Amino acid sequence: MIKKYYDSDCNLGLLDGKTIAILGFGSQGHAHAQNLKESGCEVVVGLRKGSAHTAKAEAAGLKVMEIEEAAEAGDVVMMLVPDELAADIYNTQVAKHMKEGDVLMFAHGFNIHFKQINPAPYLDVIMVAPKGPGHTVRSQYLEGKGVPSLIAVHQDHSGKAKDYALAYASGIGAGRAGILETSFREETETDLFGEQCVLCGGVTELMKAGFDTLVAAGYEPEMAYFECIHEMKLIVDLINEGGFAKMRYSISNTAEYGDYRTGTRLITEETRKEMKQVLKEIQTGVFASEFIQEFKSGGKAKFLATRQVEAEHPLEKVGGELRQMMSWLKK
């Protein structure tokens, strides 16, 4: 059973007198920086020269520096840049500014677990990973609430690495909801598996297959989109609120009966076997190696070509037209 921690278990005072450098101001970066600042921490934001995010960070009252300046100023350095860029940024711009006793942080374990970043032994290396998008981390904080977060310790030079993780997590609001301790390995491997087999790869391919099956059988694309894609949010929201039980309570008996009758015909033993193979490729580094090589090539040819093919699928055109009818999506 994973142990849970709350604000009462955290000492935010550990961050007093320390400068926290947030490298990146994207989805997570903007939330971490603003929440920490409003929790009383000294925060600077590190961005590349000419970044489109500079004006946003400054408008939020944050001090913006170039990445190397921020890394030098920071006693705590949080890497909130894309996985494929993190190693190069750390190795060329950050590492030389990290001093003994500094704390290096991540919100995802990829680059540490797969040894793309190998921090000096005189650093604490920790993770704080909110289990929600940055805009939710921010909005929940503003409402006096929080998003549950994971923490992990990779390297404990000071003997206080876990305490620093708890303090930082509390500063972004996670202690209001709950902080769960894990490891870099567990967070990385489960995160990649969930994305590939269920949340992104699995769900999108299932929706696309349903859409294609109905259209090929002669049904109108609009009907196929509504039934196989649009309504997915309704089901997922119910599961998110109360698990499978609430979803099944809320749908019709017809739908529930169909759920029990058909689910295992689609997710077969062969599918489960393939999931195990995907997990093995993640655990052994096969996926990481392939991903790193694709992005090191510079052109990202396969990645961009696949993105283009997916963008041209008929469901994207149909979906775009139908969404124009939905005023609540036009916020």
Side-chain angles (χ1 to χ4, degrees):
M1 179 71 72
I2 294 180
K3 185 173 180 181
K4 301 177 183 68
Y5 300 88
Y6 297 91
D7 279 337
S8 58
D9 303 303
C10 305
N11 178 14
L12 189 57
L14 272 179
L15 300 176
D16 290 349
K18 296 187 180 296
T19 297
I20 303 174
I22 304 294
L23 305 189
F25 202 70
S27 173
Q28 289 292 332
H30 87 276
H32 288 226
Q34 291 180 88
N35 291 6
L36 287 164
K37 180 175 182 289
E38 291 169 24
S39 291
C41 300
E42 180 68 28
V43 178
V44 299
V45 175
L47 295 171
R48 60 178 173 76
K49 191 173 183 179
S51 169
H53 293 304
T54 299
K56 295 177 185 177
E58 290 177 340
L62 293 157
K63 184 174 183 179
V64 178
M65 303 176 169
E66 291 191 32
I67 288 174
E68 290 205 27
E69 292 179 289
E72 186 171 18
D75 304 296
V76 177
V77 177
M78 170 58 106
M79 300 286 295
L80 291 176
V81 296
D83 287 337
E84 67 272 18
L85 302 179
D88 184 60
I89 289 172
Y90 182 79
N91 294 330
T92 62
Q93 299 180 72
V94 177
K96 57 190 172 186
H97 298 294
M98 300 297 290
K99 311 172 293 296
E100 180 161 3
D102 282 355
V103 181
L104 177 62
M105 297 189 64
F106 298 86
H108 179 38
F110 185 95
N111 278 280
I112 291 293
H113 180 55
F114 292 117
K115 297 181 170 53
Q116 298 305 295
I117 293 176
N118 296 288
Y122 51 74
L123 303 175
D124 285 345
V125 182
I126 59 179
M127 181 200 312
V128 175
K131 298 311 292 177
H135 67 266
T136 306
V137 174
R138 181 62 181 152
S139 64
Q140 289 297 291
Y141 181 92
L142 290 172
E143 291 179 20
K145 303 172 186 175
V147 171
S149 291
L150 303 177
I151 61 165
V153 175
H154 173 71
Q155 205 163 271
D156 185 8
H157 174 71
S158 69
K160 298 186 290 185
K162 180 176 174 180
D163 295 327
Y164 282 124
L166 287 168
Y168 184 103
S170 177
I172 62 172
R176 303 166 178 176
I179 302 164
L180 293 78
E181 188 174 10
T182 183
S183 66
F184 273 69
R185 173 182 174 272
E186 185 173 51
E187 186 277 336
T188 302
E189 293 176 357
T190 57
D191 186 73
L192 293 176
F193 177 83
E195 290 168 350
Q196 293 175 32
C197 286
V198 183
L199 306 177
C200 303
V203 166
T204 57
E205 196 63 24
L206 180 64
M207 289 192 290
K208 185 166 64 175
F211 177 91
D212 289 344
T213 299
L214 287 178
V215 171
Y219 298 100
E220 293 295 337
E222 291 82 359
M223 294 299 295
Y225 188 90
F226 273 129
E227 297 302 331
C228 297
I229 299 168
H230 174 75
E231 291 189 17
M232 178 68 77
K233 183 179 187 312
L234 308 178
I235 297 300
V236 170
D237 281 351
L238 289 168
I239 295 171
N240 192 48
E241 291 167 14
F244 289 171
K246 179 166 184 177
M247 179 271 288
R248 286 168 174 153
Y249 171 80
S250 303
I251 61 178
S252 69
N253 289 338
T254 316
E256 185 178 358
Y257 182 84
D259 170 0
Y260 302 143
R261 180 179 186 272
T262 305
T264 54
R265 294 171 63 183
L266 298 174
I267 307 303
T268 62
E269 284 306 312
E270 184 178 356
T271 310
R272 292 171 183 270
K273 182 179 178 182
E274 192 62 32
M275 282 186 169
K276 292 176 182 176
Q277 178 60 31
V278 171
L279 179 58
K280 183 177 179 181
E281 291 170 5
I282 290 168
Q283 292 170 329
T284 58
V286 169
F287 167 77
S289 177
E290 181 184 310
F291 174 77
I292 292 162
Q293 190 58 43
E294 173 73 8
F295 281 80
K296 272 187 177 176
S297 67
K300 300 178 285 187
K302 181 179 177 182
F303 176 79
L304 294 176
T306 305
R307 176 187 282 173
Q308 184 62 34
V309 168
E310 291 294 318
E312 292 172 357
H313 192 283
L315 70 81
E316 294 288 13
K317 181 175 184 296
V318 174
E321 292 170 353
L322 291 176
R323 286 190 294 274
Q324 290 301 310
M325 302 168 61
M326 303 172 194
S327 59
W328 62 92
L329 297 179
K330 300 175 184 178
K331 296 177 183 178

